[in-house]
């Protein structure tokens, strides 16, 4: 790791060095997410587009488990490296890797055993059930690779190797995009083909990450010799990773609930929501990439007691996050219909999607600050505030708002629920972070 990035480089250069590769990696992931929907949309079958939307909660669930070991392990590794505890960092990396593999196997078995129950719970209708089943069957088999791929990318990023983490994502995504038209269109496999392409891509990404560790370019290790069920390591990984995991878990739960509300208004509504969710992934993933990229920088400086530099990094990133979110919100508001038409040409779905997109864009300018402060708490090892923010955006705020808004405003209320929850969570994030900063100032004053 080049400690100069963490300790001495100017804030813009340090943020750029770590965040830009991560953002580029997220851009590749965005293309991957959009490509599957795009090629399935070329089949001109709204039911197959809806099937991908219905199975999205399962993918988010796998991300939740990847976050448990990836974000938890990665954040803890950054803190250990900031304290110059290299051997403990190697042990933490090994525990995070093998933990992600183990939980991926458990997800595979659970997915295959409880397939019908999962599909019905996710909101599959008579028109979408078989399509969703074909997709989910393949994703379940590939669960270990999907979970491990997400976790390993976070672990590698924790030591400042953002370019290598991006490369792993890019390799898998390029392969996924190349395989999508082959399986979906040329072989006529539809949504099942999309799932096969996804699993193959994740297996190749994992292979690249393992090669990165094996060729000794890393100061970390995923060797089984370093695997130690150390209580302190497990406690740290779970205390930091659980809030991030709960965030993805609640995203999965909220998507299931949203699908169940939406399906009552018809499969076209589900399809439109699916397309819109892919479109808004562009600014969301870019902002997430920005915040994930600076997480090691924040964690390192926090552990090194360089609070002034840490706050400067957070302020600089918040400014850019707000600017990026605002630009994309204005851009998609202006060209929303044309964006929806890229993925599907059904006029009913396009009109619904345009209306949904205009509403959901209302909260995009606020997400940069929300993601940044949640990431900052994780980087500082502050699991409780991070947990509150995680369960607010997709849980204790979103779900009650969704239920009340649906009862009050029908479909319109359902669409407004997420932006309302996002804005309220951002306010909560600012309040919690201000309290944390005040507490730090008091503690430092007492020490002096």
């Amino acid at each position: 790791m080049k400690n100069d990035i963490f300790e001495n480089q100017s804030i813009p250069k340090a943020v750029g060095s770590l965040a830009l590769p991560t953002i580029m990696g997220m851009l590749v992931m965005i293309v991957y997410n959009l490509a599957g929907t795009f090629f399935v949309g070329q089949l001109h079958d709204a039911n197959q587009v809806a099937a991908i939307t219905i199975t999205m909660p399962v993918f988010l669930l796998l991300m939740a488990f990847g976050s448990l070991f990836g974000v938890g392990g990665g954040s803890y590794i950054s803190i250990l490296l900031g304290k110059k505890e290299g051997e403990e960092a190697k042990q933490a990396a090994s525990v995070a890797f093998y933990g992600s593999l183990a939980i991926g196997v458990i997800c595979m078995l659970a997915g295959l055993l409880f397939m019908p129950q999962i599909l019905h719970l996710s909101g599959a209708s008579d028109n979408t059930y078989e399509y969703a089943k074909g997709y989910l069957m393949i994703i379940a088999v590939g669960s270990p690779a999907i979970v491990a791929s997400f976790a390993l990318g976070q672990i590698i990023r924790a030591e400042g190797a953002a370019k290598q983490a991006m490369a792993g994502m890019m390799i898998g995504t390029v392969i996924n995009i190349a395989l999508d038209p082959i399986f979906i269109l040329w072989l006529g496999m539809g949504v099942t083909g999309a799932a096969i392409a996804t699993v193959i891509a994740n297996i190749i990404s994992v292979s690249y990450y393992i090669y990165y560790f094996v060729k000794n370019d890393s100061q970390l290790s995923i060797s089984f010799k370093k695997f130690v069920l150390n209580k302190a390591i497990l406690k740290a990984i779970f205390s930091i990773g659980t809030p991030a995991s709960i965030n993805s878990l609640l995203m999965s739960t909220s998507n299931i609930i949203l699908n169940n509300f939406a399906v009552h208004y018809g499969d076209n509504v589900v399809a439109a929501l699916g397309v819109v969710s892919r479109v808004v992934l562009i600014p969301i993933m870019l902002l997430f990439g920005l915040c994930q990229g600076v997480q090691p920088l924040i964690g390192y400086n926090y552990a090194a007691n360089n609070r002034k530099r840490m706050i400067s990094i957070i302020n600089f990133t918040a400014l850019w996050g707000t600017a990026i979110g605002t630009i994309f919100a204005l851009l998609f508001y202006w060209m929303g219909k044309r964006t929806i038409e890229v993925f599907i040409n059904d006029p009913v779905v396009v009109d619904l999607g345009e209306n949904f997109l205009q509403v959901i864009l209302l909260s995009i300018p606020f997400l940069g600050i929300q993601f940044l402060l949640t990431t900052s708490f994780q980087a500082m090892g502050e699991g409780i505030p991070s947990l509150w923010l995680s369960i607010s955006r997709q849980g204790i705020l979103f779900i009650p708002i969704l239920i009340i808004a649906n009862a009050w405003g029908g479909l319109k209320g359902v669409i407004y629920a997420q932006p309302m929850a996002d804005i309220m969570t951002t306010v909560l994030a600012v309040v919690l972070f201000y309290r944390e900063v005040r507490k730090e100032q008091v503690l430092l004053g007492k020490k002096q």
Side-chain angles (χ1 to χ4, degrees):
M1 179 172 52
K2 298 178 180 179
N3 289 346
D4 187 59
I5 295 175
F6 292 86
E7 298 173 356
N8 302 316
Q9 278 189 0
S10 67
I11 301 300
K13 189 174 181 180
V15 170
S17 297
L18 291 177
L20 285 178
T22 310
I23 291 173
M24 292 301 296
M26 289 297 174
L27 274 172
V28 176
M29 282 189 67
I30 290 165
V31 174
Y32 144 67
N33 275 282
L34 296 179
T37 304
F38 172 79
F39 287 116
V40 171
Q42 303 314 298
L43 299 171
H44 307 301
D45 185 350
N47 289 326
Q48 294 203 53
V49 176
I52 293 181
T53 305
I54 288 163
T55 53
M56 177 57 70
V58 176
F59 218 95
L60 292 172
L61 183 64
L62 297 178
M63 282 185 61
F65 292 121
S67 296
L68 177 63
F69 290 99
V71 176
S75 297
Y76 185 51
I77 288 166
S78 294
I79 291 171
L80 290 172
L81 293 175
K83 294 179 178 179
K84 314 298 183 185
E85 297 178 2
E87 186 61 28
E88 289 80 358
K90 290 181 179 180
Q91 292 175 0
S94 183
V95 169
F97 170 59
Y98 290 105
S100 68
L101 279 181
I103 206 163
V105 172
I106 293 171
C107 288
M108 177 183 68
L109 296 175
L112 295 175
L113 288 173
F114 301 104
M115 182 75 61
Q117 294 88 337
I118 293 171
L119 289 172
H120 286 303
L121 184 64
S122 297
S125 67
D126 291 340
N127 295 326
T128 59
Y129 182 87
E130 288 301 321
Y131 293 128
K133 181 181 178 182
Y135 185 90
L136 187 56
M137 187 74 70
I138 303 299
I139 293 298
V141 172
S143 293
I146 294 171
V147 175
S149 175
F150 186 82
L152 284 173
Q154 298 291 325
I155 292 167
I156 290 173
R157 190 176 295 115
E159 66 168 337
K163 292 181 181 179
Q164 289 80 357
M166 178 195 71
M169 294 167 61
M170 186 172 291
I171 290 169
T173 302
V174 169
I175 290 170
N176 197 328
I177 294 170
L179 293 179
D180 268 338
I182 296 174
F183 288 114
I184 296 171
L185 301 176
W186 298 346
L187 297 180
M189 300 178 73
V191 291
T192 301
I196 293 172
T198 297
V199 171
I200 292 174
N202 276 275
I203 290 172
I204 292 174
S205 288
V206 170
S207 301
Y208 168 83
Y209 290 138
I210 292 174
Y211 173 72
Y212 167 80
F213 285 108
V214 169
K215 68 177 185 177
N216 296 320
D217 273 3
S218 172
Q219 62 178 328
L220 302 177
S221 174
I222 57 171
S223 168
F224 195 72
K225 294 178 181 179
K226 299 293 182 182
F227 180 81
V228 179
L229 288 176
N230 182 292
K231 185 178 179 180
I233 291 176
L234 290 173
K235 182 180 178 181
I237 289 176
F238 279 88
S239 65
I240 302 171
T242 297
S245 178
I246 289 176
N247 184 46
S248 295
L249 185 62
L250 286 172
M251 284 177 64
S252 177
T253 304
S254 63
N255 268 263
I256 290 172
I257 296 172
L258 181 61
N259 288 341
N260 277 275
F261 276 107
V263 76
H264 291 295
Y265 298 99
D267 290 325
N268 284 334
V269 169
V270 177
L273 277 173
V275 173
V276 169
S277 68
R278 295 306 194 281
V279 172
V280 297
L281 267 180
I282 297 173
I284 288 174
M285 294 296 279
L286 287 177
L287 292 171
F288 186 74
L290 173 66
C291 298
Q292 285 293 307
V294 300
Q295 182 175 354
L297 202 56
I298 295 169
Y300 186 99
N301 282 280
Y302 179 80
N305 289 317
N306 193 344
R307 299 293 192 271
K308 182 178 179 181
R309 182 173 172 83
M310 183 190 79
I311 294 298
S312 297
I313 292 164
I314 292 172
N315 289 337
F316 179 82
T317 308
L319 179 64
W320 276 99
T322 303
I324 291 170
T326 302
I327 290 169
F328 273 97
L330 293 173
L331 180 65
F332 284 138
Y333 188 88
W334 173 54
M335 53 188 301
K337 185 174 183 178
R338 280 169 286 181
T339 305
I340 302 296
E341 287 174 336
V342 170
F343 298 95
I344 193 165
N345 64 357
D346 186 312
V348 176
V349 176
V350 170
D351 287 341
L352 286 169
E354 182 184 14
N355 293 330
F356 296 168
L357 182 60
Q358 290 176 349
V359 173
I360 292 172
L361 287 173
L362 292 173
S363 64
I364 297 299
F366 301 94
L367 291 181
I369 292 175
Q370 182 192 137
F371 292 166
L372 174 63
L373 296 184
T374 302
T375 299
S376 296
F377 282 125
Q378 292 169 356
M380 295 157 61
E382 294 290 339
I384 299 301
S386 177
L387 176 62
W388 274 108
L389 295 178
S390 296
I391 65 176
S392 294
R393 180 175 186 255
Q394 299 290 343
I396 60 176
L397 286 179
F398 174 70
I399 294 174
I401 289 173
L402 177 62
I403 294 171
I404 295 169
N406 177 67
W408 174 69
L411 178 58
K412 187 176 181 180
V414 169
I415 305 305
Y416 269 94
Q418 187 63 70
M420 289 171 64
D422 278 334
I423 293 171
M424 292 173 68
T425 303
T426 302
V427 173
L428 177 62
V430 172
V431 171
L432 290 176
F433 191 75
Y434 177 77
R435 289 180 59 186
E436 183 65 27
V437 171
R438 291 291 298 168
K439 185 178 74 174
E440 285 279 328
Q441 290 173 344
V442 170
L443 291 174
L444 287 174
K446 288 181 178 180
K447 288 180 180 179
Q448 291 173 356

